[in-house]
C-alpha cells in the first residue's frame, strides 16, 4: 500500500468523518460481547475470557496474537482482570483494521491435506492427536477430546476432514 | 469449559524449547503451519459456541424472570382492585369476590371435614401402594417403586398423608435447627420443580434418607415439572418416617397463587379428577406450615431465596408463619404508602386509576353512575368509556375505603394493627409479611446495597455488605440458598459467603444445565455432586447440546417479539421518519431493547433473529410478518388480538384458573367477558365488545355458552407443548 503520506492523511480524515457512526456501532457491539462475560457487572472480565470475547467478534487470532493483544490491555500489575476502558479502544482498532482475518474454507482444507501424508482423504486419530497436541500452538487434552467428539468417525477411528469441514461451516452460519 | 485461554502453557513451553534447542518444532515445517491454522480455526469455533451458550442462558433467564414479574403485577392488580373497586351490580360483586376469596384457610374442624379421607374407599382393583400410619421405611420404598412404574397413589392415602404431614409440621419451629454431630453429613438439595427423575438420581447417588443420612430440601418442590405431586409425596413420606433427619424449607413456589400459573394446580386436577379440589385445599394448608429456614450447627443458614437488609432472624422465629397462606397477597397498608409501593412493585405496568387519584374531584360523594356507553362501533370511544367508568368507580371507592374491616381468620389482608400475643412485639403484620417475602424471593447481586427486586417483582436484590452484616450479627459462616438456576448446579458469590444450590437439571431444556447437591460434614466444608438426569444429554456432543437449547431459547424469544408487534412497529417508525420501511440494524437493536426491556445483547443475537438484510438495513414490516407466520394458528382471529393474547397469556391462564373455582376447566362466556373487560381496562388494551365476541365465538367450541379454557389455551398454542 504505497501512497504518499499527504493522500493518506486526507483519506484517513475522510474515513474518520464517515466512519464515526460506524465506529459507534462497532463499539456498541464490543461492549455487548464484553458484558456477556462481565459476571460482576463492574466492567471487568477475567483475563482468561478475553480469547472468547475477541473470537466471538469475528476474529481468528492465534494464541500468540492473543498474547500480544493482552499485553496492550492488561494493567501494569496484572490483576487477572481486564477493564473495559482499556479493552474498548484496542479492540475497536482491531475491528477497524480488520486484523485476525477469518480462515477461508479452502485454506483450512489445505491445512488438513498437509497433515494427510498419503493424501487419502482422512487422518487417523493417532496422527491428528500427535499433530494437534505437539505441533503449532498445541491443544490441551480437553480441546483435543472436544474436537474428536464431533470430528472422529468411530467406525474408522479417523477424521474425514472434507466432511468435517463442511459440517462445521454449516454450523457457523 | 471452552478454550478461551489466552495463555496456553503448552505453547509457551514449546516456544521456549524451540528458542533454546533450535531443532524442533520447526516453525517453517508445513506441519507446524498447518497445525497452527487448524488450532486457530477450532479455537475460534469453540469461543463462538461459548458465546452462544451464554446468550442462550441469558435469554432463558430474562424471560423467566419477566414472567415472574408478570405474576406479581397481576396480583398487585387484584389486591388493588379489591381495595378500591366497588362493583356496580351484584353479579360484578360476586365475580370480584370470587377472585379474591378463593384460598382462605379453613378452621381446623372445617378442614378435617372438607378434606375427609376416611370415607373414601379403596377399591379392590387398585394396584398402587397402600399406606398405613405411622409410616415405615417399607412404605417409602413401595412408593418409590410405584412411581418408577408410573403408578398413582390413591386419593385416600394421599389425603391421609397430607393430614399427617400437616400435623407434624405444625409442631416445628419456623427455623429448624440441625446438628452435624448426630449424623456424619447433611445433604442439602435445591429446587426440584417437579422433576422426579432428578430426585431419583439424587437418592441413587447419595442414598435414601435414614438415621445416618440427613437431608435438607430447600423449597420449590413443585411447578413447571410434571411430577410435582410425586415429589411432594416422597418428601412428605420421608419427613414422617425420619422426622429428625429430613428437613423441608418453604420456597416461593409453595404458594397456591403461584401454583395457579406455573402448572402444579393443573397437574393435581389432571391426576385427581374427582378429589383434586380437596387435595389442593389440603396442600395449601400444608405449604403454609412449612418451616421458613434451617440452621446447621448455628453456623450455616439455609433459606430458599435470600435475605434483605431488614431480615431479622429473631422476628422470623416468632412469626406465626401459617398465617401467610400465600405470600403474594399479604398486603394492605395505609393509604399514603400505597401509591408508592404499588408503583414500585408494578414497575412499568400502568395502574390506570391510581395516579389519577391525585386529580380527583374531592366533592364526589355519590356513587357516579356510568354514563351511557357510546356506540360499540367506535372502538376508541368505547374503550375510553370502559376505562373511564372503572376509573370513576375506583375514585369513588378510594374515599370510602376503610382499613379497619375485621379480618378473616387467616389474615390474608394484613392491616396496620399490631399483634397482640404474649410478647407484645412492636412490629406489624406488614413487617412480618416482608420478612417472609424477602426470605423466599430475594436474589444476591455483586453490587453493594439492597434494593427492590424489580425483575421478579418480589423480595430484594442484596449485596455482599448485606450478607456480611447478617453473618456477623448472628455469628454465621455462610448462607445456602436456591431460587436461581445455575449452569453447573451450584455457584458461590459474595466471596464464597453465599452458595446457590439448584437441583433441577436440564431446567430450561435438555442439556441446559446440571443439577447438584451439597454435603456438609462437621467441618462445614461443602462438597458438591453434580448430575444431569437425561440419558440423551450425555450422548449429545457439546455442539448439539448447545444448538438444542439455543433453538428452544430463540423460539421463546421470537414469540415474545411477536407479542409486542405493535409496540415494536411504533419504536421502529420512530427511526424511520421518511417512512421507507427500513431501519439500520443498529437502530433495530436499540428499538427492540426499548420495547422488551430484557437486557439482552441484541447485536450478538441478531444473526439468529434477523435472516435477511439489504446493505445493513432491515425491512421491519416483513420481518414482523415473518414472526407472525410462525405463531399463527387461528386464521380468522385478527393478528392484533392474537398479539394481545400472547402478551398476556400467562396472566390469562391464571385468571381463568382463579375464576374457575371448582376447577372444572369451564367458565361461562359471561365470566369471560367480565374478566376481559376488567383486565383490558387495567392493562390499557383497546378492544371492543366485537373483538371479545369474536374471541368467545371462536373458543366456545360446543356453542353452549361455556368455555373450556384448556382447549382455548391449547388452541392458541398458549401452553407449552409437553416434551
Amino acid at each position: 500500500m504505497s501512497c504518499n503520506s499527504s493522500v493518506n492523511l486526507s483519506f484517513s480524515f475522510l474515513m474518520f468523518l464517515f466512519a464515526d457512526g460506524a465506529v459507534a456501532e462497532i463499539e456498541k457491539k464490543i461492549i455487548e460481547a464484553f458484558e456477556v462475560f462481565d459476571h460482576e457487572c463492574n466492567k471487568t472480565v477475567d483475563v482468561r475470557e478475553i480469547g472468547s470475547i475477541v473470537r466471538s467478534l469475528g476474529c481468528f487470532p492465534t494464541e500468540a496474537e492473543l498474547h500480544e493483544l493482552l499485553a496492550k490491555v492488561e494493567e501494569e500489575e496484572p490483576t487477572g482482570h481486564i477493564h473495559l476502558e482499556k479493552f474498548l479502544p484496542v479492540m475497536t482498532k482491531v475491528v477497524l483494521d480488520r486484523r485476525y482475518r477469518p480462515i477461508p474454507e479452502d485454506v483450512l482444507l489445505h491445512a488438513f491435506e498437509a497433515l494427510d501424508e498419503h493424501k487419502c482423504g482422512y487422518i487417523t486419530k493417532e496422527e491428528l492427536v500427535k499433530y494437534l497436541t505437539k505441533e503449532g500452538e498445541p491443544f490441551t487434552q480437553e480441546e483435543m477430546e472436544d474436537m474428536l467428539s464431533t470430528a472422529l468417525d468411530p467406525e474408522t477411528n479417523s477424521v474425514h476432514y472434507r466432511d468435517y469441514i463442511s459440517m462445521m461451516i454449516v454450523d457457523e452460519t | 469449559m471452552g478454550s478461551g485461554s489466552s495463555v496456553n502453557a503448552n505453547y509457551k513451553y514449546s516456544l521456549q524449547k524451540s528458542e533454546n534447542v533450535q531443532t524442533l518444532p520447526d516453525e517453517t515445517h508445513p506441519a507446524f503451519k498447518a497445525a497452527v491454522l487448524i488450532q486457530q480455526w477450532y479455537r475460534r469455533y469453540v469461543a463462538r459456541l461459548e458465546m452462544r451458550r451464554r446468550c442462550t442462558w441469558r435469554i432463558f433467564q430474562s424471560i423467566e424472570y419477566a414472567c415472574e414479574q408478570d405474576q406479581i403485577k397481576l396480583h398487585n392488580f387484584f389486591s388493588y382492585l379489591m381495595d378500591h373497586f366497588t362493583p356496580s351490580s351484584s353479579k360484578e360483586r360476586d365475580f370480584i369476590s370470587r377472585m379474591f376469596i378463593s384460598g382462605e384457610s379453613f378452621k381446623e374442624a372445617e378442614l378435617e371435614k372438607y378434606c375427609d379421607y376416611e370415607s373414601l374407599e379403596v377399591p379392590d382393583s387398585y394396584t398402587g401402594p397402600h399406606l398405613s400410619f405411622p409410616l415405615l421405611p417399607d412404605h417409602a420404598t413401595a412408593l418409590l417403586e410405584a412411581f418408577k412404574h408410573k403408578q398413582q397413589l390413591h386419593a385416600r392415602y394421599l389425603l391421609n398423608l397430607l393430614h399427617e404431614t400437616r400435623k407434624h409440621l405444625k409442631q416445628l419451629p419456623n427455623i429448624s435447627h440441625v446438628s452435624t454431630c448426630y449424623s456424619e453429613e447433611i445433604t442439602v438439595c435445591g429446587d426440584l420443580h417437579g422433576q422426579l427423575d432428578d430426585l431419583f438420581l439424587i437418592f441413587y447417588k447419595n442414598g435414601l434418607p435414614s438415621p445416618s443420612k440427613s437431608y435438607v430440601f430447600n423449597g420449590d418442590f413443585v411447578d413447571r415439572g410434571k411430577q410435582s405431586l410425586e415429589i411432594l409425596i416422597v418428601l412428605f413420606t420421608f419427613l414422617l418416617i425420619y422426622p429428625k433427619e429430613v428437613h423441608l424449607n418453604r420456597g416461593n413456589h409453595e404458594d397456591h397463587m403461584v401454583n395457579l400459573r406455573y402448572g402444579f394446580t393443573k397437574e393435581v386436577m389432571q391426576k385427581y379428577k374427582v378429589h383434586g379440589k380437596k387435595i389442593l385445599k389440603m396442600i395449601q394448608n400444608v405449604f403454609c406450615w412449612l418451616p421458613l429456614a434451617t440452621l446447621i450447627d448455628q453456623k450455616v443458614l439455609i433459606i430458599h431465596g435470600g435475605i434483605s437488609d431488614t431480615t431479622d432472624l429473631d422476628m422470623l422465629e416468632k412469626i406465626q408463619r401459617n398465617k401467610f397462606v400465600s405470600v403474594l397477597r399479604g398486603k394492605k397498608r395505609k393509604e399514603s404508602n400505597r401509591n408508592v409501593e404499588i408503583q414500585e412493585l408494578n414497575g412499568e405496568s400502568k395502574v390506570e386509576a391510581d395516579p389519577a387519584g391525585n386529580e380527583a374531584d374531592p366533592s364526589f360523594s355519590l356513587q357516579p353512575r356510568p354514563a351511557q356507553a357510546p356506540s360499540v362501533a367506535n372502538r376508541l370511544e368505547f374503550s375510553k368509556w370502559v376505562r373511564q367508568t372503572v376509573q370513576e368507580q375506583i375514585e369513588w371507592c378510594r374515599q370510602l375505603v376503610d382499613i379497619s374491616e375485621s379480618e378473616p381468620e387467616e389474615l390474608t389482608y394484613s392491616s396496620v394493627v399490631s399483634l397482640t400475643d404474649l410478647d407484645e412485639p412492636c412490629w406489624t403484620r406488614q413487617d412480618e409479611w416482608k420478612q417472609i417475602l424477602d426470605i423466599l424471593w430475594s436474589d444476591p447481586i455483586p453490587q453493594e446495597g439492597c434494593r427492590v427486586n424489580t425483575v421478579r417483582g418480589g423480595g430484594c436484590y442484596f449485596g455482599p455488605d448485606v450478607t456480611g452484616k447478617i453473618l456477623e450479627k448472628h455469628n454465621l459462616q455462610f448462607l445456602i440458598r436456591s431460587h436461581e438456576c445455575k449452569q453447573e448446579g451450584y455457584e458461590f458469590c459474595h466471596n464464597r459467603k453465599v452458595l446457590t444450590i439448584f437441583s433441577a437439571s436440564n431446567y430450561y431444556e435438555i442439556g441446559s444445565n446440571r443439577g447438584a447437591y451439597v454435603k456438609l460434614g462437621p467441618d462445614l466444608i461443602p462438597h458438591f455432586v453434580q448430575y444431569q438426569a437425561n440419558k440423551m444429554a450425555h450422548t449429545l456432543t457439546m455442539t448439539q447440546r448447545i444448538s438444542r437449547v439455543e433453538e428452544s431459547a430463540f423460539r421463546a424469544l421470537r414469540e415474545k417479539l411477536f407479542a409486542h408487534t405493535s409496540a415494536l412497529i411504533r419504536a421502529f417508525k420512530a427511526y424511520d421518519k421518511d417512512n421507507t420501511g427500513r431501519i439500520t440494524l443498529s437502530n433495530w437493536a436499540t428499538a427492540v431493547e426499548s420495547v422488551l426491556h430484557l437486557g439482552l445483547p441484541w447485536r450478538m443475537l441478531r444473526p439468529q433473529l434477523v435472516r435477511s438484510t439489504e446493505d445493513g438495513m432491515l425491512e421491519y414490516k416483513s420481518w414482523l410478518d415473518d414472526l407472525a407466520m410462525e405463531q399463527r394458528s387461528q386464521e380468522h382471529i385478527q393478528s392484533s388480538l392474537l398479539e394481545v393474547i400472547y402478551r398476556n397469556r400467562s396472566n390469562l391462564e391464571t385468571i381463568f384458573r382463579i375464576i374457575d373455582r371448582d376447577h372444572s376447566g369451564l367458565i361461562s362466556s359471561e365470566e369471560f367477558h367480565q374478566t376481559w373487560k376488567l383486565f383490558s381496562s387495567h392493562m390499557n388494551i383497546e378492544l371492543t365488545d366485537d373483538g371479545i365476541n369474536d374471541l368467545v365465538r371462536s373458543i366456545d367450541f360446543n356453542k353452549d355458552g361455556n368455555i373450556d379454557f384448556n382447549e382455548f389455551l391449547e388452541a392458541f398454542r398458549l401452553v407449552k407443548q409437553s416434551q
Side-chain angles (χ1 to χ4, degrees):
Chain A
M1 279 262 304
S2 54
C3 313
N4 79 51
S5 50
S6 61
V7 174
N8 258 346
L9 208 57
S10 45
F11 180 72
S12 19
F13 179 66
L14 279 174
M15 281 302 292
F16 174 76
L17 284 183
F18 282 120
D20 202 39
V23 171
E25 183 55 16
I26 289 172
E27 286 186 338
K28 280 195 196 134
K29 195 149 186 219
I30 295 174
I31 294 174
E32 253 190 19
F34 190 89
E35 284 182 344
V36 172
F37 290 87
D38 176 8
H39 304 296
E40 307 198 357
C41 305
N42 57 2
K43 309 265 191 263
T44 68
V45 300
D46 190 315
V47 66
R48 289 164 294 183
E49 313 265 38
I50 290 292
S52 300
I53 299 175
V54 172
R55 287 170 169 132
S56 63
L57 286 165
C59 302
F60 284 67
T62 60
E63 292 290 292
E65 287 167 332
L66 215 43
H67 207 43
E68 262 175 49
L69 186 94
L70 254 189
K72 295 195 195 136
V73 299
E74 259 177 341
E75 308 288 320
E76 280 89 43
E77 304 264 329
T79 58
H81 285 97
I82 306 292
H83 285 269
L84 178 60
E85 53 182 21
K86 278 208 154 169
F87 181 71
L88 187 60
V90 173
M91 194 63 213
T92 307
K93 192 149 194 309
V94 164
V95 175
L96 283 174
D97 290 349
R98 312 187 116 216
R99 248 183 279 162
Y100 315 138
R101 303 298 295 137
I103 297 169
E105 196 177 327
D106 53 345
V107 171
L108 188 59
L109 190 58
H110 284 322
F112 274 102
E113 282 173 349
L115 301 182
D116 179 9
E117 278 181 33
H118 307 288
K119 307 292 167 231
C120 43
Y122 63 83
I123 307 174
T124 65
K125 177 179 167 187
E126 287 73 30
E127 284 194 356
L128 194 64
V129 170
K130 184 183 79 182
Y131 283 126
L132 295 182
T133 56
K134 301 257 184 302
E135 298 276 1
E137 294 178 327
F139 273 167
T140 60
Q141 188 173 17
E142 200 193 331
E143 285 174 308
M144 193 68 247
E145 277 171 14
D146 267 347
M147 185 195 221
L148 285 173
S149 70
T150 350
L152 195 67
D153 172 14
E155 283 176 29
T156 58
N157 221 27
S158 52
V159 174
H160 297 260
Y161 47 85
R162 266 182 196 275
D163 294 338
Y164 176 55
I165 293 175
S166 318
M167 181 180 72
M168 296 291 265
I169 299 291
V170 167
D171 254 347
E172 276 285 306
T173 49
Chain B
M1 267 245 74
S3 56
S5 63
S6 46
V7 179
N8 187 317
N10 288 352
Y11 170 64
K12 260 192 165 160
Y13 174 68
S14 61
L15 188 59
Q16 263 180 332
K17 258 194 114 178
S18 72
E19 277 173 354
N20 295 338
V21 180
Q22 279 178 341
T23 44
L24 49 77
D26 181 0
E27 285 198 12
T28 60
H29 190 276
F32 184 93
K33 281 197 171 139
V36 172
L37 216 60
I38 295 174
Q39 288 147 350
Q40 190 178 344
W41 162 83
Y42 184 75
R43 283 176 173 134
R44 195 265 171 172
Y45 175 80
V46 171
R48 264 215 34 170
L49 218 57
E50 178 64 16
M51 176 61 87
R52 278 164 66 188
R53 188 183 65 74
R54 285 178 194 255
C55 286
T56 301
W57 193 259
R58 294 273 296 265
I59 293 175
F60 275 128
Q61 274 202 316
S62 63
I63 292 183
E64 178 185 9
Y65 297 159
C67 186
E68 289 191 343
Q69 190 186 93
D70 255 1
Q71 170 85 355
I72 302 262
K73 279 191 206 168
L74 186 67
H75 287 100
N76 291 345
F77 162 58
F78 284 151
S79 294
Y80 188 76
L81 275 191
M82 178 61 179
D83 292 342
H84 287 130
F85 193 85
T86 294
S88 57
S89 70
S90 62
K91 253 198 197 147
E92 256 186 10
R93 184 169 41 242
D94 285 341
F95 176 67
I96 302 272
S97 63
R98 285 200 318 177
M99 274 207 263
F100 302 120
I101 303 302
S102 68
E104 75 273 23
S105 75
F106 286 23
K107 293 202 175 74
E108 273 312 305
E110 279 172 16
L111 193 67
E112 301 273 326
K113 194 170 138 211
Y114 177 70
C115 300
D116 156 66
Y117 55 89
E118 283 176 10
S119 59
L120 299 182
E121 289 228 359
V122 181
D124 292 329
S125 54
Y126 172 70
T127 54
H130 296 265
L131 298 183
S132 60
F133 292 81
L135 290 173
L136 299 167
D138 276 350
H139 291 124
T141 3
L143 278 170
L144 289 172
E145 266 314 295
F147 291 153
K148 282 201 180 103
H149 293 108
K150 311 274 187 248
Q151 287 179 319
Q152 191 167 297
L153 182 65
H154 193 274
R156 180 203 170 100
Y157 298 131
L158 175 50
L159 284 166
N160 201 352
L161 173 66
L162 293 172
H163 273 275
E164 294 297 316
T165 306
R166 183 167 178 272
K167 265 200 277 196
H168 170 75
L169 289 176
K170 279 176 85 167
Q171 313 157 32
L172 298 180
N174 293 348
I175 302 183
S176 307
H177 289 257
V178 185
S179 170
T180 51
C181 67
Y182 293 120
S183 64
E184 301 127 29
E185 268 180 330
I186 300 179
T187 306
V188 182
C189 299
D191 295 28
L192 285 167
H193 281 304
Q195 299 187 185
L196 188 60
D197 285 341
D198 283 310
L199 187 57
F200 280 155
L201 196 50
I202 294 173
F203 285 158
Y204 176 72
K205 285 169 100 74
N206 197 45
L208 297 177
S210 72
S212 58
K213 192 145 298 238
S214 292
Y215 273 91
V216 176
F217 292 95
N218 198 14
D220 277 12
F221 318 123
V222 301
D223 279 333
R224 299 193 205 270
K226 304 242 174 285
Q227 291 169 294
S228 302
L229 255 182
E230 284 80 2
I231 289 200
L232 279 189
I233 294 171
V234 169
L235 292 182
F236 291 161
T237 302
F238 278 118
L239 175 73
L240 294 176
I241 299 173
Y242 300 113
K244 288 210 199 60
E245 289 81 21
V246 176
H247 308 271
L248 306 180
N249 283 346
R250 189 176 184 182
N252 64 311
H253 278 261
E254 275 69 59
D255 183 329
H256 70 277
M257 293 303 272
V258 178
N259 299 149
L260 279 169
R261 178 189 287 265
Y262 288 104
F264 181 49
T265 309
K266 189 156 109 179
E267 180 189 327
V268 175
M269 291 313 300
Q270 274 172 358
K271 290 180 177 167
Y272 291 91
K273 295 188 168 47
V274 178
H275 300 289
K277 212 174 159 210
K278 272 189 198 177
I279 293 170
L280 283 172
K281 181 72 19 175
M282 241 354 263
I283 290 178
Q284 211 177 296
N285 282 276
V286 170
F287 281 169
C288 65
W289 276 108
L290 285 168
L292 300 170
T294 301
L295 199 53
I296 299 183
D297 289 350
Q298 302 287 92
K299 290 263 159 245
V300 179
L301 179 66
I302 310 178
I303 59 253
H304 174 74
I307 53 174
S308 77
D309 53 359
T310 54
T311 295
D312 180 347
L313 292 186
D314 300 316
M315 197 195 301
L316 268 172
E317 287 201 311
K318 300 204 178 81
I319 290 175
Q320 287 174 291
R321 66 181 190 272
N322 64 305
K323 302 288 189 191
F324 298 89
V325 178
S326 167
V327 178
L328 290 183
R329 286 164 63 197
K331 52 192 181 91
K332 196 171 185 183
R333 63 199 73 81
K334 274 205 165 106
E335 283 288 290
S336 50
N337 292 335
R338 202 177 304 208
N339 298 352
V340 174
E341 257 192 69
I342 286 179
Q343 261 155 11
E344 248 178 46
L345 287 168
N346 270 349
E348 63 197 41
S349 119
K350 297 188 175 90
V351 184
E352 277 287 290
D354 177 36
N358 298 328
E359 305 145 32
D361 179 350
S363 67
F364 250 138
S365 54
L366 295 168
Q367 178 176 5
R369 212 150 257 215
Q372 184 74 21
S375 153
V376 168
N378 187 337
R379 288 175 66 154
L380 216 49
E381 278 305 312
F382 180 79
S383 53
K384 261 202 217 155
W385 173 81
V386 167
R387 233 177 299 146
Q388 211 181 342
T389 313
V390 170
Q391 221 160 299
E392 280 171 354
Q393 296 284 351
I394 288 173
E395 249 334 285
W396 178 69
C397 299
R398 288 198 67 199
Q399 295 158 46
L400 297 187
V401 159
D402 184 359
I403 292 176
S404 58
E405 257 179 62
S406 63
E407 299 163 304
E409 201 211 11
E410 54 122 5
L411 296 166
T412 315
Y413 299 99
S414 56
S415 65
V416 190
V417 171
S418 51
L419 288 172
T420 50
D421 69 357
L422 297 170
D423 290 353
E424 296 223 355
C426 50
W427 61 73
T428 64
R429 193 76 64 192
Q430 189 53 29
D431 296 329
E432 293 185 335
W433 169 75
K434 184 175 194 290
Q435 287 291 321
I436 300 188
L437 188 70
D438 288 339
I439 294 283
L440 300 185
W441 283 82
S442 300
D443 290 312
I445 44 166
Q447 298 86 354
E448 307 231 313
C450 184
R451 42 178 228 273
V452 170
N453 190 330
T454 45
V455 172
R456 291 204 199 249
C460 294
Y461 286 128
F462 64 99
D465 52 335
V466 178
T467 302
K469 283 206 192 86
I470 265 249
L471 294 181
E472 202 193 310
K473 179 165 176 209
H474 298 279
N475 207 3
L476 304 169
Q477 272 182 25
F478 61 98
L479 305 176
I480 301 182
R481 43 90 64 177
S482 303
H483 199 40
E484 283 181 296
C485 181
K486 295 296 176 190
Q487 183 90 21
E488 295 295 319
Y490 73 94
E491 195 175 273
F492 278 107
C493 66
H494 292 191
N495 206 9
R496 292 183 81 91
K497 297 276 181 238
V498 174
L499 167 64
T500 303
I501 188 87
F502 195 84
S503 301
S505 67
N506 304 317
Y507 181 60
Y508 292 124
E509 174 60 79
I510 295 177
S512 68
N513 66 290
R514 289 171 148 148
Y517 55 87
V518 59
K519 298 163 77 79
L520 297 170
D523 55 5
L524 295 180
I525 295 179
H527 296 276
F528 299 97
V529 178
Q530 298 165 296
Y531 52 83
Q532 210 152 5
N534 188 304
K535 294 195 195 65
M536 219 212 309
H538 294 293
T539 60
L540 296 175
T541 62
M542 179 170 62
T543 310
Q544 286 172 318
R545 233 180 297 134
I546 292 178
S547 295
R548 235 194 116 93
V549 187
E550 197 182 32
E551 238 179 74
S552 195
F554 278 102
R555 220 180 303 134
L557 195 54
R558 279 197 289 271
E559 202 181 87
K560 245 209 160 20
L561 287 166
F562 166 74
H564 290 84
T565 302
S566 313
L568 282 171
I569 290 193
R570 281 196 294 274
F572 292 152
K573 285 215 165 109
Y575 287 104
D576 180 26
K577 294 274 158 56
D578 297 334
N579 224 356
T580 61
R582 291 148 39 102
I583 49 169
T584 65
L585 291 173
S586 173
N587 289 336
W588 170 86
T590 320
V592 171
E593 177 57 24
S594 74
V595 169
L596 291 196
H597 298 292
L598 288 175
L600 292 172
W602 293 104
R603 287 168 184 83
M604 296 262 102
L605 304 176
R606 204 243 331 134
Q608 314 274 72
L609 293 171
V610 175
R611 307 287 158 146
S612 56
T613 57
E614 260 179 53
D615 21 276
M617 303 281 279
L618 167 67
E619 294 201 4
Y620 52 88
K621 285 229 178 74
S622 55
W623 175 67
L624 287 167
D625 282 340
D626 285 342
L627 278 181
M629 291 296 284
E630 285 173 42
Q631 314 298 336
R632 263 336 235 274
S633 59
Q634 299 277 325
E635 292 299 311
H636 56 285
I637 300 295
Q638 33 160 237
S639 61
S640 59
L641 177 56
L642 204 58
E643 181 195 329
V644 165
I645 293 174
Y646 268 93
R647 193 159 63 239
N648 297 286
R649 70 158 183 204
S650 16
N651 285 340
L652 274 179
E653 182 173 359
T654 310
I655 294 176
F656 285 154
R657 295 201 188 284
I658 294 176
I659 297 173
D660 177 29
R661 290 202 76 204
D662 55 6
H663 299 290
S664 62
L666 298 173
I667 59 172
S668 74
S669 339
E670 212 179 305
E671 285 169 334
F672 181 79
H673 259 266
Q674 299 212 335
T675 314
W676 193 264
K677 231 166 69 175
L678 259 180
F679 185 71
S680 58
S681 67
H682 171 72
M683 294 297 183
N684 202 14
I685 300 163
E686 293 175 3
L687 268 184
T688 58
D689 250 359
D690 263 351
I692 304 177
N693 284 334
D694 268 343
L695 192 57
V696 172
R697 257 197 299 274
S698 74
I699 56 185
D700 181 5
F701 298 112
N702 303 330
K703 309 290 172 241
D704 63 352
N706 277 322
I707 295 168
D708 180 335
F709 61 83
N710 281 317
E711 280 189 43
F712 167 56
L713 294 169
E714 269 155 33
F716 286 92
R717 288 183 17 228
L718 296 184
V719 286
K720 265 204 178 136
Q721 312 295 17
S722 39
Q723 283 170 338

